[in-house]
Amino acid sequence: MKILTTVKKVVDVELNIRVNDGAIVEDGLQYVINAWDENGVETAVQLKENNSAETTLVSIGGDDNADMIKKCYAMGIENGILIDDPALANADSSVFAKVLQKVYEKGEYDLIITGKQAQDTDNGQAGIMLAEYLNIPCVSNVVAIEVMDDSHVKVSRLGDAGTEIVELELPAVVTVSDSINEPRLPAMRGIMMAKKKKIETMDLSALGTSIDDLGGADLQSEVVEYMQPEARKSGQKFEGDAAEITAEVVGLLSNEAKVL
Amino acid sequence: MTKILVVADIKQGVLKGSTSELLSKAKALGAETAVVAVGSNIESLTADLANAGSDTQYIADDASLELFSAGPFTSCVVDAAKQFEANLIWFGFSETGKAVAPRVAAQLKAACATEITDITIDGDNVEVTRPTTANKLIQRIKVNASQLVAVVRAGAFEATEGITGAENAVKLSIPETDLKAIIKEIIAEAGDDIDLADANIVVSVGRGAKDQAGIDLVKELATDLEAGFGSSRALIDAGLMPHAKQVGQTGKIVAPTLYFAIGISGAIQHLAGMNGSKVIVAVNKDSEAPIFNVADYGIVGDLFEVVPILREEIKKIKG
Ligand SMILES: Cc1cc2nc3c(=O)[nH]c(=O)nc-3n(C[C@H](O)[C@H](O)[C@H](O)COP(=O)(O)OP(=O)(O)OC[C@H]3O[C@@H](n4cnc5c(N)ncnc54)[C@H](O)[C@@H]3O)c2cc1C
């Protein structure tokens, strides 16, 4: 089985993110692997270990993605493709999905694994759109996966009515939730081996396409401004005798906030 | 005139409140409204769908649509969008919405925005705002395409009292079953509890509750208040709470009038699911816990001691 997994480098959401004049202030930001993609990498590596699959990752971004890709190698991914093209700087989910479509068509994979969303945009669209463009099945928000045979996997998805059990015919796309696994910490041996491994870097023309082809010159929507959310007005904190402060808070919920 | 198609949110045969909230907003924007409903045994909901504020009801009712399957669901929405010539197609916040909206957008070559909190329409100019980056930022997005598919965040719009619609049902043809993604079964969790998405009050429990006894203690508070009962991820990972209860970036996003965070530290991923709540109460024994940064009323204390007192004091007030 050939598995393609996608990884995106995203701003570290644990740190402060500031906005100036409608744009994100780059100064002081740090970038990390998208948490859900890390779950996807772990999923791919586990499938490889249990079912003899070949694993390839693809990332879209600049050469500063190399450290993230090496980390995924150290976790057990075998091949890495980096799509590095300045024309993709303002791309949206649909354009990214079309880039992934080109990558897929070059490699003929059986299973594509993406994170359920990216922590920077929180869009949750690219993987699902990719399946639509390829006209292959897709299950999103997957929390378990099991190989049935060469051409089928069984997945569990968290849906509105409960856990859905779906049998998927390959090729297919799954987008994974963080509940699916706990990504491993790479072992020292893996880290050493990863250092020597190459990354196959391509621009759009090497991929046989162009930004116009991908719809990137004519975006369906664009972000015009970033804003900082209004901070919640600072609240009151009560310390001391539990009976007293709890009674006081309940009183305030009733009389001040009028929500009880 | 703008035409807005709202995808009905139906759970266990009941039309959920978000449908009327979205239709109310659509009417407030002066749009012509329609709703598309997909499921099994739902024809009887036509009047409810009209009363929720729709002027046309596109209905796909068939036994094959009983269990959610993204492909056929998408076909029904696309079919309705084409018949209605919708400019905007809105889903309420749900896993169904998140799974189907990008597919509908891809098929219609429309723009797609998830978790929007507001929309403005000025002639041909459509703009949406949405929180992003784990709620740390808000983005304003300009729509260039002639159609927009959007998932609306829970609590973004309010239902208008006394909104009306007209019964005008249109039967959709039933799409073929997706043989490449066969839904075998749905294992329902926590079926008859109060739905988190609809609840006016939500009580959530975190790792501070330690074990089943602690969880049961906090649940009693939820029961007293007739509140939705939620959880942080920590207890779900520990297998102590069902997945369906998770509040946060990965789980449910809630915006109730009153939110209790009991024994929850306030990780950014949890905050992303609840910091739109009107009033937040936190109980935590660590006075430095980040949850206190968003809490309107923070009680520093041991939840095993505080929760029983909370219940008693609330009983006094509610009589
Ligand atoms: C990609 C990703 C997505 C995630 N999505 C979500 C999500 O959707 N929802 C979510 O909740 N988390 C999510 N998480 C996990 C999140 O980062 C935290 O790990 C989680 O929210 C912690 O849960 P907690 O607050 O219950 O546990 P902890 O962080 O362990 O906090 C327990 C708290 O209980 C307090 N406490 C302990 N004993 C007592 C007592 N007796 N009385 C009072 N207080 C006590 C402690 O002081 C502490 O503050 C996600 C993480 C990742 C990486």
Side-chain angles (χ1 to χ4, degrees), chain A residues 99-175:
Chain A
V99 173
L100 297 175
Q101 178 183 7
K102 296 289 172 194
V103 173
Y104 171 88
E105 283 164 356
K106 272 192 171 258
E108 288 180 14
Y109 301 89
D110 301 296
L111 179 64
I112 306 170
I113 304 174
T114 78
K116 62 175 254 179
Q117 67 200 58
Q119 258 176 324
D120 53 354
T121 63
D122 281 331
N123 278 337
Q125 299 172 16
I128 299 173
M129 287 179 166
L130 168 64
E132 281 296 327
Y133 296 146
L134 289 171
N135 199 16
I136 61 175
C138 169
V139 176
S140 55
N141 205 21
V142 165
V143 293
I145 182 166
E146 171 193 328
V147 175
M148 296 170 67
D149 57 45
D150 280 351
S151 53
H152 294 88
V153 292
K154 187 193 250 181
V155 299
S156 307
R157 165 180 190 271
L158 286 188
D160 291 319
T163 305
E164 301 162 4
I165 313 294
V166 187
E167 285 180 10
L168 269 180
E169 185 180 312
L170 301 177
V173 177
V174 297
T175 82

Side-chain angles (χ1 to χ4, degrees), chain B residues 86-97:
Chain B
N87 311 96
L88 301 168
I89 299 137
W90 289 353
F91 292 80
F93 181 79
S94 60
E95 288 304 333
T96 300

Side-chain angles (χ1 to χ4, degrees), chain A residues 11-19 24 36 116-126 128-129 131-133 135-141 143 154 157-170 177-179 182 218-230 232-247 249-254 256-260, chain B residues 9 11 68 70 74 94-99 102-103 105-107 109-115 127 129-145 178-189 201 225 233 237 243 246 249-251 257-258 260 268-269 274-281 287-288 292-300 305-306 309-310 313-314 317-318:
Chain A
V11 62
D12 186 348
V13 297
E14 302 288 346
L15 303 178
N16 258 338
I17 305 171
R18 285 174 302 131
V19 168
I24 298 173
W36 287 286
K116 62 175 254 179
Q117 67 200 58
Q119 258 176 324
D120 53 354
T121 63
D122 281 331
N123 278 337
Q125 299 172 16
I128 299 173
M129 287 179 166
E132 281 296 327
Y133 296 146
N135 199 16
I136 61 175
C138 169
V139 176
S140 55
N141 205 21
V143 293
K154 187 193 250 181
R157 165 180 190 271
L158 286 188
D160 291 319
T163 305
E164 301 162 4
I165 313 294
V166 187
E167 285 180 10
L168 269 180
E169 185 180 312
L170 301 177
S177 157
D178 46 289
S179 304
E182 187 67 46
D218 192 10
L219 293 175
Q220 279 141 343
S221 66
E222 56 200 304
V223 178
V224 285
E225 185 186 16
Y226 282 95
M227 292 166 278
Q228 216 107 38
E230 247 176 77
R232 289 188 72 91
K233 66 169 177 30
S234 59
Q236 310 171 47
K237 195 156 76 178
F238 300 84
E239 296 185 63
D241 179 66
E244 246 166 60
I245 60 176
T246 305
V249 167
V250 172
L252 288 167
L253 287 174
S254 172
E256 184 180 80
K258 304 202 189 310
V259 289
L260 272 184
Chain B
D9 190 358
K11 268 191 210 138
F68 172 71
T74 302
S94 60
E95 288 304 333
T96 300
K98 287 196 272 183
R103 293 166 190 261
Q107 289 192 15
K109 297 190 169 62
C112 186
T114 46
E115 292 184 40
E127 283 191 357
T129 46
R130 63 185 292 274
T132 180
T133 324
N135 271 13
K136 287 217 157 164
L137 299 172
I138 292 173
Q139 43 181 216
R140 189 160 61 85
I141 295 174
K142 183 172 166 291
V143 177
N144 300 325
D178 187 351
L179 295 174
K180 291 184 167 180
I182 299 173
I183 169 102
K184 302 301 274 189
E185 60 172 323
I186 297 186
I187 304 162
E189 295 176 322
I201 303 180
L225 288 165
R233 201 186 74 178
D237 288 346
H243 279 297
Q246 181 166 326
Q249 208 183 3
T250 306
T257 312
L258 179 56
F260 286 89
I268 171 115
Q269 296 90 355
M274 46 64 78
N275 65 5
S277 306
K278 186 158 168 265
V279 174
I280 297 172
V281 178
S287 69
E288 298 299 314
F292 288 125
N293 298 335
V294 301
D296 300 279
Y297 302 101
I299 301 176
V300 182
E305 197 182 342
V306 170
I309 305 172
L310 262 177
E313 292 294 332
I314 289 168
I317 286 188
K318 305 202 113 189

